[in-house]
Each structure stands twice: as C-alpha cells, then as structure tokens.
C-alpha cells in the first residue's frame, strides 16, 4: 500500500493511493497516518478495504509529510562506505547515530530554506524506515516485524553548522524544512527488497547522487535491532539510513553547495520522488 497525507500544513487528511493512482480518503477509517494507525493490525484492516468504496480526493492538492506526529527522527551517519570516504572518514565499525529535530519535517515538494548565515547547505537522498510497533531490545530476525514501511527522505544538511560550530551534528541537520519525507509511506509488503533499491538526486537537472541501498554498511534489520538496544522505538518514529556518494561537500575539485533559487529532485525505486525549490529562510 501507498499511504500519504493530503492538505495544507496542520490540516492534512490521511489518504491511500490506489492501483489506478486515484487518491482515496482514509479519514473515515483512521485519524492520521501516525501512531497506532501504523500498527500491523490497522495496516491489515486498511489493506482489506475495497479502495473503490473510499471517497476520491481531488487531484492537485499539497502532499504533506507521509507520517504525522513523528516522535523521533533518527539518522545514521556515514552508512555508505564510498560516502564516508568522500568526506575523508573511514567507514564506521558501528552505526553512527544522531537526531534530526522533528520540526524540520515538511512535505516532499515543499520549499527548502537556506538558513541565514549558511554557506554550505547540502543534499542527501536517503531511505527512511517507519516504525509500526514498539521495539525494544529486538533481534535482527524479528526487526522487520516492527517496521510499518519505507519512505523517501532528503536529509538536508548545513555542513558549516554541522562541523564548524561546535558540538554534535544536530544543529546542522535540524533547520526548518531540512526533513522532506514522502510522498508515500510504502508498506513493507509492497517493497520487494529494501536492500536493493536504486537511489538518485539531481540539482538543477544535474545528476549528483546515484546509488543503491545494497551498498549500505548496516542494513535495515541491523539498524532497527541496533537502535532498539539504546532507545525504545515507537510507532511513527523514522530512521534515515544514510546516503550514497555525491553530496556537495564531496564534489571535486571544489565542493558545491545549495543556494536560493535552485531545484532539487530525488527519488528511490518503488518509493516515489520529491521536488523542492530552495528559498531564503523566512523569519
């Protein structure tokens, strides 16, 4: 299934995209694509519905973030060996974890702000893992039991804030609009193999990133299990699993960074695509 949220910020309706690409209103079935609605039982009930019996929604509406009320936005750093090397670092022995503020979350086609004082804004196409049921101390072989599905994430970053302003990475990852997610949450049954999905990202029509989730150092099962040893994962939490090479800071002979007035497009096989315009940060 492809689940999404349609409408203006703060007023999104839960929806389903049927096999004929018709948007169907789920607001009579669930309150939101969030929390308990992501449980295996609720997803099974939605899957059993006849989409043709659900009201159709008009086309052309804004697509919101595919998950609402996200509790934790957990990111995995340097999870592609070739990306680690392009940043001048060795591949990690264990997953590197950091948090991205949930206030950074926006829809897949919303504008991305370039922060005030920014000179190194960057892009990162990533596979997002959406938790569907509580996970604490789970084993790798049971990890997928706790996953509702997957989504496309642009882990927008400001490298000078991230690496030159002291502390950890969070301040470079958390500006408003730095977390576009969606367009859809694709349930696990509709993703053939999360460890073999092609990924790409363009800036102004120039291909910058090309990769595949099969080259992740730590796969989805390992990450869900690993993170659950340190914190309880709750329904609606999102794990952004790392990016392939081709980020702006790794460009040769000189880094290339985002500026207002550009267009970012990105996608992951089976998970859809995003398109964002970069703008100056609003007050």
């Amino acid at each position: 299934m492809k689940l999404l949220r349609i409408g203006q910020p703060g007023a999104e309706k839960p929806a389903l995209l049927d096999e004929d690409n018709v948007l169907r209103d789920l607001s009579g079935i669930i309150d939101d694509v969030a929390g308990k609605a992501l449980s295996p039982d609720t997803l099974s009930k939605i899957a059993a519905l006849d989409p043709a019996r659900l009201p159709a929604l008009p086309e052309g509406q804004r697509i919101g973030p595919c998950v609402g009320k996200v509790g934790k936005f957990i990111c995995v750093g340097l999870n592609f060996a070739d990306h680690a090397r392009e940043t001048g670092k060795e591949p990690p022995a264990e997953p590197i974890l950091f948090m991205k503020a949930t206030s950074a979350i926006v829809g897949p086609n919303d504008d991305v702000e370039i922060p005030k004082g920014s000179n190194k804004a960057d892009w990162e196409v990533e596979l997002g893992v959406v938790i569907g049921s509580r996970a604490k101390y789970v084993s790798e072989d049971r990890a997928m039991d706790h996953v509702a599905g997957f989504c496309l994430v642009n882990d927008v970053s400001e490298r000078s804030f991230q690496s030159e302003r002291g502390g950890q990475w969070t301040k470079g990852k958390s500006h408003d609009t730095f977390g576009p997610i969606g367009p859809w949450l694709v349930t696990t049954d509709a993703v053939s193999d999360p460890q073999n999905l092609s990924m790409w990202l363009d800036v102004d029509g120039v291909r910058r990133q090309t990769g595949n989730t099969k080259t992740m150092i730590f796969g989805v099962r390992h990450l869900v299990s690993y993170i659950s040893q340190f914190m309880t994962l709750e329904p609606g939490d999102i794990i952004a699993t790392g990016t392939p090479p081709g980020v702006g800071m790794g460009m040769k002979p000189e880094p290339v960074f985002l500026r207002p007035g550009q267009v970012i497009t990105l996608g992951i096989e089976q998970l859809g695509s995003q398109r964002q315009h970069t703008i100056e940060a609003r007050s």
Side-chain angles (χ1 to χ4, degrees):
M1 289 187 300
K2 295 175 180 176
L3 304 178
L4 64 165
R5 301 168 72 245
I6 299 294
Q8 293 305 304
E12 294 95 344
K13 285 185 175 183
L16 179 151
L17 186 67
D18 71 17
E19 293 183 356
D20 296 319
N21 290 322
V22 176
L23 289 171
R24 300 291 180 174
D25 189 352
L26 283 175
S27 56
I29 309 299
I30 56 175
D31 292 333
D32 199 356
V33 183
K36 293 180 179 179
L38 300 172
S39 70
D41 286 348
T42 303
L43 292 180
S44 294
K45 291 176 183 177
I46 296 172
L49 296 172
D50 177 1
R53 293 181 175 273
L54 297 171
L57 290 169
E59 297 180 1
Q61 296 189 77
R62 170 185 176 266
I63 301 175
C66 60
V67 180
K69 304 179 182 68
V70 176
K72 293 190 287 297
F73 199 166
I74 306 159
C75 298
V76 183
L78 306 178
N79 196 29
F80 287 69
D82 36 11
H83 169 60
R85 294 191 182 97
E86 77 174 344
T87 67
K89 298 179 174 65
E90 288 298 315
E94 292 189 40
I96 296 172
L97 305 181
F98 61 93
M99 308 298 283
K100 194 176 186 87
T102 56
S103 55
I105 293 173
V106 290
N109 304 316
D110 289 346
D111 292 337
V112 165
E113 294 185 355
I114 305 300
K116 294 180 179 181
S118 166
N119 56 18
K120 295 182 180 179
D122 209 344
W123 55 83
E124 295 188 19
V125 58
E126 304 202 7
L127 171 68
V129 179
V130 181
I131 299 300
S133 62
R134 188 174 184 270
K136 183 175 183 178
Y137 297 124
V138 300
S139 61
E140 281 194 42
D141 61 350
R142 297 300 301 273
M144 292 302 297
D145 295 345
H146 299 270
V147 175
F150 303 94
C151 66
L152 172 60
V153 175
N154 188 358
D155 178 21
V156 187
S157 309
E158 212 302 330
R159 303 301 187 186
S160 62
F161 295 0
Q162 177 182 350
S163 302
E164 301 168 18
R165 299 289 298 273
Q168 299 177 341
W169 292 357
T170 302
K171 67 181 72 171
K173 298 284 189 170
S174 295
H175 185 80
D176 296 349
T177 76
F178 270 24
I181 61 171
W184 320 303
L185 186 167
V186 183
T187 52
T188 54
D189 60 298
V191 176
S192 55
D193 180 1
Q195 299 306 151
N196 189 16
L197 300 174
S198 59
M199 317 166 71
W200 60 272
L201 182 144
D202 295 351
V203 180
D204 290 339
V206 177
R207 182 58 46 93
R208 294 301 190 184
Q209 289 187 275
T210 303
N212 192 291
T213 57
K214 65 185 178 184
T215 64
M216 288 166 56
I217 299 170
F218 307 106
V220 171
R221 292 178 182 274
H222 181 81
L223 290 173
V224 172
S225 174
Y226 181 88
I227 296 170
S228 78
Q229 311 304 310
F230 300 95
M231 65 191 82
T232 301
L233 295 169
E234 299 287 355
D237 287 349
I238 295 175
I239 303 169
T241 59
T243 198
V247 298
M249 69 181 296
M251 293 286 106
K252 306 296 183 184
E254 296 291 336
V256 176
F257 296 113
L258 295 167
R259 61 185 186 279
Q262 295 188 288
V263 177
I264 311 167
T265 51
L266 60 149
I268 296 181
E269 181 183 2
Q270 300 177 38
L271 302 184
S273 61
Q274 301 181 354
R275 180 183 178 89
Q276 297 119 24
H277 289 83
T278 57
I279 63 171
E280 294 183 0
R282 304 181 180 95
S283 297

